[in-house]
Amino acid sequence: MTRRQYFIIILILGTLTTISPFSIDMYLPGFPAIAKDLHTSIAQVQLSLTAYLIGIAVGQLVYGPLLDRFGRKLPLYAGLAVYLLASIGCALTTSIETLILMRLLQALGGCVGIVAAQALVRDLFPVTEIAQVLSLLTLVLAISPMIAPTVGGYATVVLGWHSIFLILAGITTLILIGIYYALPDGKAPDTSLSLRPMAVLGSFFTVLKQPQFLTYALVSGIATSAPFAYISGSPDVFMNLYKVSEQEYGWIFSFLAIALIGPTQLNRFLLKRFTSEQIIYTTLIYQTVVGLLMVFGTWAGWFGLYGLIGMLFLFLCGQGLTGPNSAALSLAPFVRHAGSAAALMGSFRMGFGALVSGSVSVLHNHTAMPMVSVMTVCLIFGLLILLIGQRVIHHKNQPAELDSVSEVAL
């Protein structure tokens, strides 16, 4: 492909992966306004975020087999259409119960972008370039938290929180146009794949029995779910505890998003000297140490507003390294079941994200401790799973799944 085609494909795949981050980050500054307008509490509004994460976790399991069976574009069109209609429903809601339901439907539609983008990376680029391409997608993904909460903060103040969901519907319409005119089809539909429940479960089992996938998908799911504790808890911590405005919160969120960009691009250079396994191991140790310092410092009262922002920045720097490397190692063994593998990997992450988000809501005590504690626990468990999983992989020395390029050729 030409350089121009390469750029356009990366841009479209990147925007597909940003649908859910935009859907999450853009409405965070509106939490207090939503709670006031719908006559509910911040904790209840947080449940709309939990519902969204549950929808993503469940939806990805559905789209994985659909993307393998019908090709990449048809499920994309269907899912994004559901997302668009649900976004309009969110804008028109007058109760917290309806908002939670619409957010669940919004997630069930929009999550197709995550799965399809990862599967298309596996379709369109050689295995040796997957980690680097995913790093580029993460760069696009990292920019969204810089833009989304800032736009959401100003939109909430000027137009009201309902306008946020109309903006999301407009963005999705533009993405649909780009997919239709400029995105390659990717892997052709595979009519030999059955969508019967047992056949679908069999595909998932084929993926899950691969130790390399299971290890790095779980590491990715648990370790990279830590930011969901920050996302869920930060509106209350910054706007209620530290009394910052919606616009100020948007700028704080944008600043912390910078922590993702530098390391993400650094990963492209680190891969020239180190393996993905080495990068993940070192990063998890770094984040665990920072997380423990953050928990102890918060408990001891060391941090004011700027001190907490600084510690969060140091912690989030690791996310730009763990995510793309663990994703590349998870997807590498698969060709035929790339869609199912991407779906399971994404489902793990969002499922743990929902658990993490819900935990912060349940532990809510008007301090920053629930947020920073849950973030740190995620990294500790991620590191333990990595150490155990690598031993299993090396012990079994199992080759890649029989679902390989050579078998497909046969």
Side-chain angles (χ1 to χ4, degrees):
M1 67 181 69
T2 65
R3 182 171 297 182
R4 181 174 179 274
Q5 290 173 322
Y6 184 88
F7 173 79
I8 292 174
I9 291 172
I10 293 296
L11 181 62
I12 294 175
L13 294 180
T15 55
L16 278 174
T17 64
T18 63
I19 290 175
S20 286
F22 257 84
S23 303
I24 293 169
D25 301 338
M26 190 175 286
Y27 93 130
L28 294 178
F31 270 27
I34 294 172
K36 181 179 180 181
D37 191 36
L38 300 183
H39 308 291
T40 187
S41 65
I42 288 285
Q44 285 291 103
V45 178
Q46 286 176 334
L47 291 179
S48 69
L49 173 60
T50 302
Y52 190 91
L53 297 176
I54 292 173
I56 297 178
V58 174
Q60 288 183 90
L61 296 177
V62 175
Y63 286 117
L66 292 177
L67 288 163
D68 288 332
R69 173 63 178 78
F70 295 108
R72 310 312 188 196
K73 281 197 171 181
L74 185 59
L76 256 179
Y77 292 140
L80 294 182
V82 171
Y83 175 90
L84 198 155
L85 294 174
S87 297
I88 297 173
C90 289
L92 299 177
T93 187
T94 57
S95 71
I96 186 61
E97 292 81 11
T98 304
L99 178 63
I100 291 172
L101 175 61
M102 287 296 106
R103 289 288 285 172
L104 179 65
L105 293 176
Q106 195 184 31
L108 289 171
C111 67
V112 68
I114 303 171
V115 188
Q118 292 176 337
L120 281 163
V121 168
R122 186 63 184 85
D123 294 343
L124 303 176
F125 301 94
V127 172
T128 54
E129 294 182 18
I130 289 179
Q132 294 188 28
V133 173
L134 288 174
S135 293
L136 290 173
L137 295 188
T138 307
L139 173 61
V140 180
L141 189 66
I143 294 173
S144 65
M146 298 179 63
I147 301 173
T150 306
V151 172
Y154 283 97
T156 299
V157 172
V158 177
L159 301 172
W161 64 268
H162 301 83
S163 66
I164 293 171
F165 297 102
L166 295 177
I167 294 172
L168 290 171
I171 292 172
T172 305
T173 301
L174 295 176
I175 293 174
L176 279 167
I177 294 171
I179 292 170
Y180 181 81
Y181 286 105
L183 186 65
D185 291 337
K187 177 179 170 288
D190 189 345
T191 56
S192 67
L193 292 174
S194 172
L195 294 179
R196 288 178 297 179
M198 292 307 297
V200 171
L201 291 175
S203 295
F204 284 139
F205 179 73
T206 298
V207 173
L208 286 171
K209 71 181 182 181
Q210 168 57 253
Q212 178 172 322
F213 170 82
L214 191 58
T215 296
Y216 291 104
L218 284 174
V219 169
S220 176
I222 294 176
T224 63
S225 66
F228 290 112
Y230 155 68
I231 290 169
S232 179
S234 61
D236 181 60
V237 169
F238 288 125
M239 288 190 280
N240 288 339
L241 183 62
Y242 289 106
K243 306 300 180 183
V244 305
S245 67
E246 290 93 337
Q247 295 98 325
E248 289 171 333
Y249 172 78
W251 286 109
I252 291 171
F253 203 96
S254 299
F255 170 73
L256 290 174
I258 298 173
L260 298 173
I261 297 177
T264 296
Q265 296 315 292
L266 176 63
N267 187 50
R268 299 173 63 190
F269 299 99
L270 291 175
L271 285 168
K272 296 178 181 179
R273 297 192 58 184
F274 305 101
T275 65
S276 290
E277 292 92 335
Q278 291 172 323
I279 295 172
I280 293 171
Y281 177 72
T282 304
T283 302
L284 292 184
I285 291 178
Y286 160 79
Q287 283 188 282
T288 299
V289 172
V290 173
L292 290 172
L293 290 174
M294 187 165 57
V295 169
F296 183 78
T298 300
W299 174 78
W302 291 350
F303 308 130
L305 172 62
Y306 297 110
L308 180 60
I309 291 173
M311 292 303 296
L312 287 170
F313 187 95
L314 292 176
F315 182 93
L316 293 173
C317 281
Q319 298 300 317
L321 295 174
T322 302
N325 286 294
S326 57
L329 289 169
S330 298
L331 293 174
F334 305 101
V335 175
R336 192 181 184 202
H337 291 297
S340 296
L344 279 170
M345 182 174 62
S347 183
F348 283 173
R349 183 173 183 237
M350 293 303 170
F352 285 119
L355 178 62
V356 163
S357 173
S359 298
V360 173
S361 178
V362 170
L363 298 173
H364 180 262
N365 63 357
H366 303 288
T367 74
M369 277 300 290
M371 179 180 73
V372 298
S373 298
V374 173
M375 291 173 70
T376 303
V377 168
C378 289
L379 267 297
I380 293 173
F381 275 101
L383 182 59
L384 290 175
I385 289 172
L386 178 67
L387 294 175
I388 296 171
Q390 284 184 335
R391 291 194 174 208
V392 173
I393 293 171
H394 294 153
H395 174 72
K396 290 191 174 183
N397 195 25
Q398 182 170 324
E401 172 204 25
L402 292 179
D403 168 38
S404 62
V405 177
S406 59
E407 187 197 19
V408 171
L410 294 175

